[in-house]
């Protein structure tokens, strides 16, 4: 069934189709409609879930932890300040191997209150042990919620899916809502191997000495290493089911491209449009869409970008004192490839912080800059900065 | 000598194991022992950062015969809310979820989550074992630390100037279905209240005055004695409050001087005569207030 | 104990921090530097009882309503609970720790209930250890002689008691009036001994009807002939008609003789004989009064008896002594008294009364009953055994001549029924040791109860096994954790009102009822002996105390006990001790 809906509602529908047991969330612009819609769905009995209207995002995540630990499928959604407030518990939930799914609407952080889109909030949580997926449109948002559970529950790790504030969250698009039956086949009820169980009592998360902590952390990383494969399969399988396959990274006109744009979220759509224009002019520009950011899909990125000469990374975020975050990560992934010989020149563009519009012209400028420059000379190329 | 048939005073099954890591004479460990005797094994325990995080034993061991979820310092009430919700969803509403936090995790850092859960009337039991300071981190003051007490952050020449926060009053103001105070020196009362709490739906809050020999500067063998003095001196009244309005005083001690309680503990060593008089005054005043609330 | 878990490879480790065993792997007992031990101690009441009754134990059973058991415990040490429950001056009660809390326990009234219970249900489950050939003779069927006979019989000996009077019981029979000790009670308790195989031959005076040498033919003999000769006033007129010796007077009344007294009867003295005589005279219709040369505080009579005499309205004149009895035609008419004042303390520690010159005065009297003490009549006992008016003996009644043992009033000890009973028990043990080639002195440490000379027969016979009181450490009030007790007055003993009682010889005091006995016994702290109140078990923060498999008492798991000492402090009765680790 197709429906015109805003990104936030796509999140809610995704959660509903995933038959979540427990929702704990706290409102924040631009995420509020997720919460509102889920409240309605629960109230109307369209979703058989307990919605805990907690008093903070911190408690939202804590409640999800409790629910998940007891074997429930838990969901939350937040943004920006809320995500930052949760930070401690992001570590707790991944360390506790709890397959919680959270939607984060990308929004800039204060001070200077700013409710508009920016990727720094989610990217700043990259070291917490959560998987991260960035969505390009509302359809992908809905589908990613469902796939996230599929992946999270196989790995016993939490997953964050990310959508841009307003550009997706509040923008209405046509979304195909899959049949519940089909989704039920894809996503069976959550049955963890070990959970809080009075018949089989265990203590979870106790004091652990240096004797064992290290190895248990190693195990978490081992699981992360498996995540790209699991995620790819989940996307493939989902594709077979609903006709929309997903991968962890998605190339567009990449094969023969001289310049490759690397982007995530709605920046991908802008890039796609610009690439089409350039291709018409015969200029070989291609795109690599990063859907998965954590774990970083290093292997796929290396395969797909092998032999490329110039790469333009577009970051709507910044790691202060360093660079754009996608830029850092990509550089690190490609470092020393091909024995250092043919490794590409990577350009790092920062753009649109705090929701500043990113126009097609802006992207074209990025492409032109990259085409023009023989070598990258700066760590940050500030786009649209009013100097 | 033969003997008559033994009628155990409190339930016999033990759900807490020996070999736990509490200090000798720790009131908090005894409290858990009673609590689980009362609640039985259909119970899940949530423990935020506190002494009990250590007492419960390091990986891969556990001191309890029921499941434990160790969680972040300020999250007990929120984790409990979620856990209960998930159990309800699985048709396991008969499981008692017990959040078990220290005073730091209750009065201070976990206060918001607690208040939230209380206001929502979540169906779990929140227990604060109140040893009146942050003991796990080495005896720092909390908002539960009483007036005049020494801690490492309220040193002897700058002891705590403000009174202990009235957590019972605050929780009563949330009008939760059940609220009680218990003491390890009164095991029967303790167990009865936990069993009562188990039978009630909605939010339950139980405060345990929990003596801590290293933190209170008392001998290991004095924990019960001091707990009793606290009750007898009316510093720690044993009470129950239903729906924030129906008050019951479970014991009306004759009221020994607060001095007996204070002098038994090294942390009050530096109290002046005026301090003691002030404390006595406060205790008397609060007792009168309580009596009015009861009637 | 749960198993220690070791991980040999990373594959063994779970993916998250989850428990796989219990903390029982931690032997926290190694933290301990003080060790709690179950250590029963002696209750002060038991130490205070000259017959060393295991009061604490029978209180335990009485509190639970098992009076058969209570009786059995009691008669291990004393065969006369119904008698002692009436006439004993109960020094146990003055030693009772509960006295410091509210009021001492009504031990004596419970003892009486238990004694009566034994009679009512004809309890006589005495056990003879093993029959023995040896024959033992006892001279005197007073409490000392009968107690010795009882314990000797239990040890298996063939015992014959020779009693010069017509009936056994000694002063219990002929001295103490029936309004205090009804004869059927006394006789029932004595008959029980006879049924048990103690032979009592009355009307046989040792030294006369059986010559001394013949008497000595037994394997051992026990002398307990008592002291019955009234002391003389040594004043002019003592031979006048109307002057009667106190014990004679009581003896005649107790034998059923009619003794006619005049109206004004003066009883001289302040001891038990004086009190019994004066109250008897009252019941015979006279108007008696007490004349005593010191003050009330120095009176040697049992305090209860003095109080009862006072309540019965008997006037008492203190600090006076008769200096002359004045007669008319050979019959007593008046008595001249001299006032006294208290001077320096004498050898008994009491202040010596000294006459006040010129203070003489005269009162009219019809009778004077002398009751200033009794002396032994040792005409039938070899002289070498006597010294300072008593039979020379050690603490166990061993005289210098084997096989002669002695006890009761004729040896150096307080003249009380319970001391007499205690001395009979001690002599029985000494005789047993003697006949088996042993020496009782070597056993003293093992059988002593507390530090006041009392000994336990149970422990003598059975050793320490099964005997809870296994050391002499006496529990003081400070050792009691009074938090576990609530104040409660002791039960009052029922009694006849004064008006009715003084017209007859009905028993004045009654026996408390069963509920009262249980209730009163519940007041007992059970000093020093675990009564399974569960406090230690309940309060151990380390779950280190377990009920024993047979559910009798507890054991401490030293693998885990951290030695906090809470169990020791919270034991209400000091049945645990904390000792340094490694000792
Ligand atoms: C009037 C009175 C009241 C008392 N009241 C109390 C009281 O209330 N509580 C208390 O504790 N104490 C009381 N006493 C003291 C107590 O009765 C004695 O201490 C106790 O009876 C001593 O016991 P006994 O066996 O040594 O001697 P006795 O009781 O005197 O018994 C000795 C027995 O030996 C017999 N006898 C004597 N010579 C011979 C012989 N040659 N051959 C065979 N038999 C012989 C006597 O006839 C007598 O039966 C009282 C004493 C008196 C006199
Ligand atoms: C967010 C956070 N801040 C601080 C700490 C450090 N910390 C651990 S336990 C504790 C004190 C606990 O005090 P309380 O709740 O009273 O329990 P107690 O240790 O006294 O039993 C503190 C400050 C922490 N674990 N987490
Ligand atoms: S520090 Fe205090 S509360 Fe903590 S384990 Fe020790 S005694 Fe118990
Ligand atoms: S309280 Fe009981 S055991 Fe203790 S001294 Fe008194 S009678 Fe004896
Ligand atoms: S209460 Fe327990 S841990 Fe403490 S001393 Fe007694 S047995 Fe040992
Ligand atoms: Mg604390």
């Amino acid at each position: 069934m197709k429906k015109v809906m805003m990104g936030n509602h796509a999140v809610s529908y995704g959660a509903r189709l995933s038959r979540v047991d427990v929702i704990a969330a706290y409102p924040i612009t631009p995420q509020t409609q997720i919460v509102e819609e889920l409240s309605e769905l629960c109230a109307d009995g369209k979703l058989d879930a307990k919605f805990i209207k907690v008093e903070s995002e911190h408690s939202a995540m804590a409640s999800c932890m409790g629910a998940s630990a007891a074997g429930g499928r838990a969901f939350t959604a937040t943004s920006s300040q809320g995500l930052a407030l949760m930070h401690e518990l992001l570590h707790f939930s991944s360390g506790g191997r709890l397959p919680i799914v959270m939607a984060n609407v990308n929004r800039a952080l204060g001070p200077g209150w700013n409710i508009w889109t920016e990727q720094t909030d989610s990217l700043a949580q990259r070291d917490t042990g959560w998987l991260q997926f960035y969505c390009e449109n509302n359809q992908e948002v809905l589908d990613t919620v469902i796939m996230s559970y599929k992946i999270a529950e196989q790995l016993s790790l939490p997953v964050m899916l990310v959508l841009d504030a307003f550009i997706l969250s509040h923008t209405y698009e046509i979304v195909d809502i899959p049949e519940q039956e089909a989704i039920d086949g894809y996503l069976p009820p959550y049955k963890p191997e070990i959970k809080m169980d009075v018949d089989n009592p265990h203590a979870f998360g106790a004091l652990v000495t240096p004797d064992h902590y290290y190895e248990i952390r190693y195990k978490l990383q081992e699981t992360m290493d498996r995540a790209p494969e699991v995620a790819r399969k989940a996307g493939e399988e989902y594709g077979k089911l609903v006709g929309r396959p997903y991968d962890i990274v998605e190339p567009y006109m990449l094969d023969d491209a001289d310049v490759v744009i690397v982007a995530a979220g709605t920046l991908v759509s802008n890039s796609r449009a610009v690439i089409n224009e350039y291709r018409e002019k015969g200029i070989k520009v291609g795109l690599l869409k990063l859907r998965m950011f954590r774990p970083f899909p290093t292997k796929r990125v290396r395969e797909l970008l092998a032999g490329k000469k110039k790469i333009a990374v577009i970051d709507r975020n910044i790691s202060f004192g360093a660079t754009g975050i996608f830029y850092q990560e990509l550089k690190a992934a490609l470092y020393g490839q091909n024995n250092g010989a043919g490794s590409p020149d990577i350009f790092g563009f920062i753009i649109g912080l705090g929701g500043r519009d990113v126009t097609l012209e802006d992207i074209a400028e990025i492409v032109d800059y990259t085409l023009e420059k023989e070598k990258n000379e700066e760590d940050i190329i500030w786009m649209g900065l009013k100097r | 000598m033969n003997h008559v048939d033994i009628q155990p005073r409190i339930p016999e099954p033990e759900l807490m194991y020996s070999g736990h890591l509490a200090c000798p004479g720790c009131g908090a460990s005894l409290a858990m022992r009673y609590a689980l005797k009362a609640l039985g094994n259909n119970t899940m325990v949530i423990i935020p950062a506190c002494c009990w995080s250590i007492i419960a034993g390091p990986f891969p061991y556990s001191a309890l015969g029921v499941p434990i979820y160790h969680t972040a310092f300020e999250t007990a009430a929120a984790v409990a809310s979620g856990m209960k919700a998930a159990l309800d969803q699985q048709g396991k509403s008969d499981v008692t979820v017990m959040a078990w936090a220290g005073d730091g995790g209750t009065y201070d850092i976990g206060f918001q989550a607690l208040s939230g859960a209380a206001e929502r009337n979540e169906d779990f039991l929140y227990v604060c074992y109140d040893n009146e300071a942050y003991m796990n981190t080495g005896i720092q003051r909390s908002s539960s630390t009483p007036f005049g007490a020494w801690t490492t952050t309220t040193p002897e020449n700058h002891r705590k100037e403000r009174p202990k926060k009235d957590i019972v009053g605050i929780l009563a103001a949330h009008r939760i279905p059940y609220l009680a105070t218990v003491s390890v020196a009164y095991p029967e009362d303790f167990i009865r209240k936990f069993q009562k709490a188990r039978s009630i739906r909605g939010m339950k809050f139980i405060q345990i005055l929990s003596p801590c020999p290293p933190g209170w500067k008392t001998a290991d063998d004095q924990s019960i004695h001091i707990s009793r003095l606290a009750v007898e001196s009316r510093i720690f009244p044993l009470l129950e409050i239903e729906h924030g309005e129906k008050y019951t005083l479970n014991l009306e001690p004759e009221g020994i001087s607060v001095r007996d309680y204070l002098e038994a503990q090294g942390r009050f060593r530096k109290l002046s005569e005026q301090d003691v008089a002030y404390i006595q005054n406060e205790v008397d005043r609060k007792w009168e207030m309580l009596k009015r609330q009861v009637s | 104990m749960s198993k220690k878990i070791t991980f040999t490879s990373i594959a063994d480790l779970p993916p998250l921090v989850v428990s796989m065993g219990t903390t029982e792997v931690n032997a926290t007992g190694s933290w301990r530097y003080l060790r709690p031990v179950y250590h029963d101690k002696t209750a002060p009441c038991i130490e205070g009882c000259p017959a060393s009754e295991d009061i604490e134990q029978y209180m335990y059973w009485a509190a639970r309503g098992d009076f058969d058991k209570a009786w059995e415990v009691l008669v291990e040490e004393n065969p006369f609970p119904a008698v002692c429950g009436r006439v004993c001056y109960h020094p146990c009660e003055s030693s009772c720790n509960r006295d410091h809390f509210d009021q001492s326990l009504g031990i004596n009234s419970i003892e009486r209930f238990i004694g009566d219970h034994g009679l009512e249900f004809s309890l006589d489950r005495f056990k003879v250890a093993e029959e023995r050939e040896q024959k033992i003779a006892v001279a005197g069927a007073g409490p000392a002689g009968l107690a010795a006979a009882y314990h000797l019989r239990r040890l298996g000996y063939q015992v014959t008691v020779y009693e010069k009077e017509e009936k056994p019981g000694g002063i219990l029979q002929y001295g103490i009036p029936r309004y205090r000790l009804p004869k059927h009670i006394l006789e029932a308790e004595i008959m029980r001994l006879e049924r048990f195989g103690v032979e009592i031959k009355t009307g046989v005076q040792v030294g006369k009807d059986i010559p001394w040498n013949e008497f000595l033919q037994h394997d051992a003999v026990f002398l307990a002939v008592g002291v019955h000769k009234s002391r003389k006033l040594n004043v002019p007129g003592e031979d006048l008609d109307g002057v009667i010796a106190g014990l004679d007077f009581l003896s005649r009344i107790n034998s059923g003789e009619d003794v006619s007294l005049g109206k004004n009867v003066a009883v001289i003295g302040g001891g038990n004989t004086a009190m019994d005589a004066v109250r008897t005279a009252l019941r015979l219709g006279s108007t008696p009064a007490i004349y005593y040369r010191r003050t009330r505080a120095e009176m040697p009579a049992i305090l209860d008896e003095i109080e009862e005499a006072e309540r019965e309205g008997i006037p008492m004149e203190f600090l006076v002594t008769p200096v002359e009895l004045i007669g008319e035609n050979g019959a007593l008419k008046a008595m001249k008294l001299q006032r006294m004042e208290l001077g320096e303390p004498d050898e008994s520690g009491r202040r010596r009364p000294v006459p006040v010159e010129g203070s003489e005065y005269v009162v009219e009297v019809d009778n004077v009953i002398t009751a200033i003490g009794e002396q032994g009549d040792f005409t039938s006992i070899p002289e070498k055994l006597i010294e300072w008016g008593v039979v020379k003996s050690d603490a166990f009644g061993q005289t210098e001549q084997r096989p002669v043992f002695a006890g009761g009033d004729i040896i150096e000890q307080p003249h009380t029924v319970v001391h007499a009973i205690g001395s009979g028990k001690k002599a029985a043990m000494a005789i047993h040791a003697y006949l088996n080639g042993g020496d009782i002195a070597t056993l003293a440490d093992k059988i002593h109860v507390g530090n006041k000379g009392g000994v336990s027969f149970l422990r003598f016979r059975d050793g320490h096994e099964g005997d809870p009181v296994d050391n002499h450490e006496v529990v003081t009030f400070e050792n009691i954790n009074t938090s576990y007790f609530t104040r409660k007055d002791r039960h009052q003993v029922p009694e006849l009102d004064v008006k009715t009682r003084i017209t007859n010889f009905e028993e004045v005091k009654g026996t408390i009822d069963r509920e009262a006995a249980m209730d009163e016994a519940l007041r007992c702290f059970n000093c020093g002996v675990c009564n399974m109140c569960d406090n230690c078990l309940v309060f151990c923060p380390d779950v280190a105390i377990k009920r024993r498999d047979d559910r009798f008492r507890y054991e401490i798991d030293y693998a885990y006990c951290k030695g906090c000492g809470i169990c020791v402090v919270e034991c209400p009765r000091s049945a645990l001790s904390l000792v340094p680790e490694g000792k």
Side-chain angles (χ1 to χ4, degrees), chain B residues 24-25, chain C residues 32 34-36 38 536 539-545 556-558 560-568 576 578:
Chain C
R32 186 179 60 237
L34 291 170
R35 169 183 286 247
Y38 285 100
C536 53
F539 287 126
C540 175
D542 287 283
V543 207
I545 297 184
I556 296 175
D557 193 340
Y558 293 112
Y560 300 115
C561 161
K562 294 171 185 161
C564 68
I566 287 180
C567 50
V568 178
L576 284 121
L578 207 54

Side-chain angles (χ1 to χ4, degrees), chain A residues 189-240:
Chain A
Y190 177 44
K191 289 247 169 350
E193 266 173 43
I194 185 165
K195 62 173 178 178
M196 290 288 280
D197 180 0
V198 291
D199 297 321
N200 182 21
H202 292 281
F204 293 84
L207 179 77
V208 55
T209 62
D211 260 357
H212 301 307
Y213 184 87
Y214 190 9
E215 282 69 26
I216 289 175
R217 291 290 126 164
Y218 171 83
K219 291 211 158 191
L220 202 152
Q221 175 65 17
E222 238 186 1
T223 309
M224 272 289 185
D225 289 345
R226 286 200 290 121
E229 255 329 286
V230 170
R232 285 193 76 186
K233 281 221 187 76
E236 235 176 75
E237 205 186 312
Y238 190 76
K240 282 187 195 135

Side-chain angles (χ1 to χ4, degrees), chain C residues 226-461:
Chain C
V227 297
H228 306 120
K229 225 167 72 182
S230 295
R231 275 180 216 275
K232 295 245 171 221
L233 292 173
N234 289 326
V235 297
E238 208 167 347
D239 302 329
L240 289 167
D241 258 6
V243 181
I244 318 171
L247 197 48
D248 283 350
F249 168 65
L250 291 171
S251 170
R252 280 158 63 195
I253 298 289
N254 274 318
S255 308
E257 246 182 73
D258 272 339
V259 182
S260 60
L261 297 176
K263 182 166 185 305
N264 296 323
V265 175
V267 176
I268 316 298
N272 286 326
T273 310
M275 295 305 132
D276 284 345
V278 81
R279 293 175 69 196
T280 299
L282 181 68
R283 281 162 175 72
L284 292 175
S286 303
T287 312
I290 287 282
Y291 296 88
Y292 181 53
R293 60 192 184 130
R294 307 191 205 218
T295 68
R296 187 178 187 274
E298 283 87 25
M299 283 180 129
I302 299 170
L303 185 62
D304 280 358
E305 298 307 310
I306 302 171
E307 285 172 357
E308 289 305 325
E310 286 172 341
R311 290 176 61 199
E312 289 172 9
I314 292 165
M316 298 192 185
E317 191 89 9
F318 298 110
L319 290 166
V320 290
T321 193
V323 287
E324 189 187 343
L325 303 183
I326 304 158
E328 211 180 272
N329 306 327
L332 182 66
K333 208 62 207 149
M335 171 170 71
K336 185 188 271 177
L337 297 153
Q338 182 174 32
R339 299 225 177 260
M340 313 290 279
E341 57 186 16
L342 292 180
E344 293 303 303
D346 64 9
E347 66 277 3
S348 73
R350 298 179 300 176
R351 291 170 71 190
R352 187 194 304 275
V354 287
V356 179
E357 288 300 323
S359 65
E360 293 88 348
Y361 66 104
V362 174
V363 294
E364 281 195 8
V365 291
D366 300 310
N367 294 95
V368 164
I369 299 177
T370 61
I372 60 167
E374 287 83 28
Q375 283 172 307
D377 173 4
F378 296 138
T379 44
S380 50
I381 298 175
E383 219 169 288
K384 60 173 178 175
L385 294 177
I386 315 294
E387 194 178 272
W388 300 109
V390 295
V391 174
K392 260 189 298 179
S393 75
D394 68 5
F396 284 91
Q398 309 187 93
T399 71
E400 272 163 23
Q401 183 188 347
R402 293 297 135 89
V404 182
F405 297 79
D409 284 357
I410 58 169
I411 66 168
E412 171 89 58
Q413 69 170 16
H415 289 188
T416 74
V417 173
V418 68
H419 279 92
I421 290 169
S423 72
K425 174 164 73 178
K426 284 193 243 180
M429 295 176 187
I431 289 168
H432 181 67
Y434 160 71
L435 290 177
N436 291 283
D439 179 1
I440 190 70
T442 61
L443 288 176
D445 224 33
K446 199 186 115 186
I447 59 180
H448 265 134
V449 179
N451 306 303
K452 291 187 182 164
V455 295
S456 154
F457 183 83
L458 187 71
R459 210 180 299 161
F460 174 76
R461 190 189 57 197

Side-chain angles (χ1 to χ4, degrees), chain A residues 342-361:
Chain A
S343 70
D345 215 1
I346 306 173
F347 295 75
F349 298 90
I350 287 184
I351 196 167
L353 297 186
R356 171 92 47 98
D357 256 357
V358 177
T359 61
L360 298 185
E361 289 71 34

Side-chain angles (χ1 to χ4, degrees), chain A residues 324-343:
Chain A
I325 293 170
F326 286 113
Y327 171 66
Q328 287 173 20
E329 299 263 348
L330 195 82
K331 267 206 312 189
L334 298 182
Y335 178 77
Q337 287 300 295
N338 307 333
N339 296 326
S343 70

